[in-house]
Amino acid sequence: MNLFGVLEQAAARFGDRGAVYLGTRQLHTWAQLRDRALRLAGSLSARHDTGARIAIASENRPEIIEVMFAVWAAGCVVVPINFKLHPREMAQILDDAGVSLVFASPKIAVGLDGAPVEVLGGAGYDVRLAHAPAVRANTDPGALAWLFYTSGTTGKSKGAMLSHRNLMAMTVAHLADFDAPDENHSLIHGAPMSHGSGLYIAPYVLRAARQVIPESAGFEPAEFLDLCDHHPGVSCFLAPTMVQRLVATGRPRPQNLTTVVYGGGPMYVDSLKKAMAAFGPIFVQLYGQGEAPMTITGLRRHDHLDASDAVLGSVGYARSGVEVAVLDDGGTPAGIDEVGEIVCRGDVVMSGYWNNPTATAATLVDGWLRTGDLGSFDGRGFLTLRDRSKDVVISGGSNIYPREVEEVLIEHPDVVEACVVGAPDDEWGEVVVAFIVGTATEDALDTHLLERIARFKRPKRYVHVDELPKNSYGKVLKRELRELVR
Ligand code: AMP
């Protein structure tokens, strides 16, 4: 089994129908998409071994879909990279994954000095599209399909190894639990295709649903709603902040918009109620992580109807094919309403972190994936997240690990100590707040960070303090700082 097979099916049954759209314009039919992917695959097989890691670094573009299927048809591994990362961070990922080629948009390619780059839509790309079509697909379901890079708590990204089987388990669970698309449906890619939206390519291609890429290459609420008016039976994956931005337009639900899957970060009950009041019962919630892509628990559409705040504030119940448990400190299942670490197992769970046996051993324990999230089950199996033991700040759907920002802040000569926490924010879900001991000014810190890490990770607020609260071991009491910013 190889994920390329899902495109084969769509092309065999619906060859003449529209497959890929840029805005409202049809670019390729399913037969054409298959042909383009196979030609690209031929060009890859000619130069790269089976199992080679091929990266994609680009804002949302139509070529991403054909490149993904080409990589799989060539028996290689796709490494999608968040296009908002700093070139230094991208270089770190390329190096860690041992990437032998990067497909980059013209904008991103500029920053990738020295890397083996093929510019999407460029002259070299056209040469590849003229290559003889070829398949060299690895049919072992356990073969690697996707290296999913998460921000590491230690500042170094870790590559979650996702196999064809993992992504097929995600695909089947999506079609079983959440959505039933067919050739008269569309998936609009508003969220980044390097993450959630890209992971959903497989289930929607399997059902030959249109793949629509906004011309803005990202998420513009008005453009997104206009596209919903144009394309049939629209589904999408959106971060909670994107849902809020759609609602904030004040426009009614486009009739064709039928499914909005939200997740990847907390959706506050109040925001969810407003969204349902504005758009109706079209919402589905997922709780997942790169290590168990899009698939740990979820709330289906009908679970949202007449639901209590407790249910709306939960992350739902175990997805099809996934076993979920909450373990106490001793590693035994916690009782009802008792908080512990959320763990899960099933075919969707990664096989480990690329080239990182230490992190793998700490995360895959006794057959369970330790999510690093804390939560509790109620008597009916609804899971509620209580806190994140990994301290990650989720701002506008992007994960920001405080340690990563702290390490760079500390590098500044006028910073003595730094501590970063998340503060609740109506617009972004959470924002990064940095507590600073030292004389560095806000402007100086901003400049310092801009040269070193991605723009979206910069603190939105700096608080200068004389000292950081610490316990008797000298460990900073982050909880106190979090209370302070609340
Ligand atoms: P990532 O690996 O980048 O997808 O981030 C995964 C993390 O996002 C999880 O471990 C959770 O902490 C958080 N997360 C995912 N889904 C939800 C959700 N529905 N509600 C709240 N937090 C979530």
Side-chain angles (χ1 to χ4, degrees):
M1 183 251 288
N2 180 296
L3 287 166
F4 182 69
V6 307
L7 174 58
E8 290 276 29
Q9 280 204 36
R13 290 192 296 144
F14 302 104
D16 292 338
R17 292 183 68 117
V20 181
Y21 292 73
L22 180 59
T24 56
R25 188 160 56 92
Q26 179 181 317
L27 297 184
H28 318 299
T29 63
W30 289 107
Q32 288 165 339
L33 179 66
R34 176 182 179 277
D35 181 65
R36 290 170 70 89
L38 285 177
R39 288 176 186 279
L40 291 171
S43 81
L44 290 174
S45 305
R47 294 253 178 90
H48 306 276
D49 292 338
T50 303
R53 276 78 59 209
I54 311 288
I56 305 177
S58 169
E59 59 282 10
N60 286 0
R61 282 178 68 109
E63 294 95 337
I64 292 175
I65 298 165
E66 61 204 28
V67 168
M68 277 188 185
F69 284 104
V71 170
W72 294 328
C76 297
V77 184
V78 72
V79 187
I81 298 178
N82 179 353
F83 75 94
K84 290 188 206 156
L85 291 181
H86 191 279
R88 202 173 84 163
E89 297 164 315
M90 288 195 190
Q92 221 171 47
I93 292 175
L94 298 181
D95 182 51
D96 186 73
V99 160
S100 46
L101 180 67
V102 190
F103 285 98
S105 65
K107 212 155 77 186
I108 301 296
V110 178
L112 291 176
D113 248 8
V117 172
E118 185 69 85
V119 179
L120 292 171
Y125 193 77
D126 284 344
V127 171
R128 287 177 185 276
L129 286 171
H131 199 283
V135 186
R136 189 187 57 183
N138 194 335
T139 52
D140 168 10
L144 266 189
W146 183 313
L147 275 186
F148 185 104
Y149 271 85
T150 60
S151 306
T153 41
T154 57
K156 193 170 164 257
S157 280
K158 289 177 292 185
M161 297 191 285
L162 303 177
S163 66
H164 291 269
R165 178 190 284 118
N166 294 150
L167 294 177
M168 193 47 90
M170 176 205 74
T171 297
V172 170
H174 183 75
L175 298 174
D177 300 339
F178 283 172
D179 204 8
D182 62 22
E183 70 279 14
N184 297 311
H185 285 79
S186 318
L187 177 68
I188 303 186
H189 293 285
M193 292 166 81
S194 57
H195 285 67
S197 211
L199 285 163
Y200 275 172
I201 289 173
Y204 289 87
V205 168
L206 182 59
R207 293 288 177 258
R210 292 179 181 191
Q211 303 288 309
V212 181
I213 289 83
E215 277 181 289
S216 66
F219 183 71
E220 298 295 339
E223 177 194 32
F224 189 90
L225 291 172
D226 289 345
L227 284 176
C228 292
D229 280 328
H230 182 85
H231 292 285
V234 173
S235 300
C236 57
F237 165 73
L238 297 177
T241 38
M242 295 173 170
V243 175
Q244 277 178 267
R245 288 177 62 197
L246 281 190
V247 173
T249 61
R251 284 171 55 173
R253 172 176 73 89
Q255 263 193 353
N256 294 348
L257 177 59
T258 51
T259 305
V260 174
V261 183
Y262 66 91
M267 174 82 143
Y268 299 109
V269 173
D270 189 55
S271 315
L272 179 55
K273 284 181 176 168
K274 283 185 183 137
M276 290 193 296
F279 285 172
I282 59 167
F283 294 97
V284 172
Q285 185 192 178
L286 75 82
Y287 161 55
Q289 56 177 205
E291 292 82 347
M294 313 299 264
T295 320
I296 299 175
T297 64
L299 273 181
R300 293 194 277 177
R301 208 181 309 247
H302 66 259
D303 296 319
H304 287 75
L305 301 178
D306 302 320
S308 64
D309 284 5
V311 165
L312 293 180
S314 78
V315 292
Y317 45 94
R319 298 288 304 279
S320 298
V322 184
E323 199 181 335
V324 185
V326 169
L327 301 183
D328 64 19
D329 288 345
T332 49
I336 287 170
D337 294 330
E338 211 180 303
V339 177
E341 183 172 5
I342 300 163
V343 298
C344 70
R345 59 187 174 195
D347 273 353
V348 79
V349 173
M350 66 160 187
S351 54
Y353 295 111
W354 177 256
N355 270 344
N356 197 338
T358 313
T360 301
T363 308
L364 295 176
V365 182
D366 298 333
W368 291 103
L369 166 70
R370 305 193 72 120
T371 63
D373 291 316
L374 301 178
S376 61
F377 274 119
D378 73 6
R380 292 194 305 152
F382 284 85
L383 181 69
T384 298
L385 293 194
R386 300 294 171 186
D387 200 355
R388 291 189 294 273
S389 56
K390 289 177 184 165
D391 279 342
V392 62
V393 179
I394 301 181
S395 189
S398 294
N399 283 12
I400 301 163
Y401 284 85
R403 172 95 179 253
E404 216 185 332
V405 185
E406 287 161 7
E407 279 177 1
V408 181
L409 284 171
I410 289 292
E411 284 175 17
H412 192 283
D414 297 327
V415 171
V416 181
E417 279 186 295
C419 182
V420 165
V421 297
D425 182 84
D426 284 346
E427 189 186 351
W428 297 97
E430 281 181 307
V431 291
V432 172
V433 179
F435 286 85
I436 303 288
V437 181
T439 54
T441 61
E442 270 190 40
D443 284 350
L445 290 172
D446 259 354
T447 312
H448 175 77
L449 289 175
L450 274 176
E451 283 165 5
R452 291 166 176 84
I453 55 170
R455 184 172 280 273
F456 72 91
K457 295 180 185 169
R458 270 181 317 154
K460 288 253 190 308
R461 237 157 71 204
Y462 293 94
V463 184
H464 283 84
V465 288
D466 290 334
E467 55 181 320
L468 296 172
K470 298 195 181 123
N471 69 10
S472 54
Y473 298 107
K475 254 177 89 110
V476 178
L477 294 167
K478 284 208 163 185
R479 187 168 297 173
E480 282 194 14
L481 294 175
R482 270 193 222 109
E483 298 291 319
L484 214 64
V485 295
R486 256 170 236 271

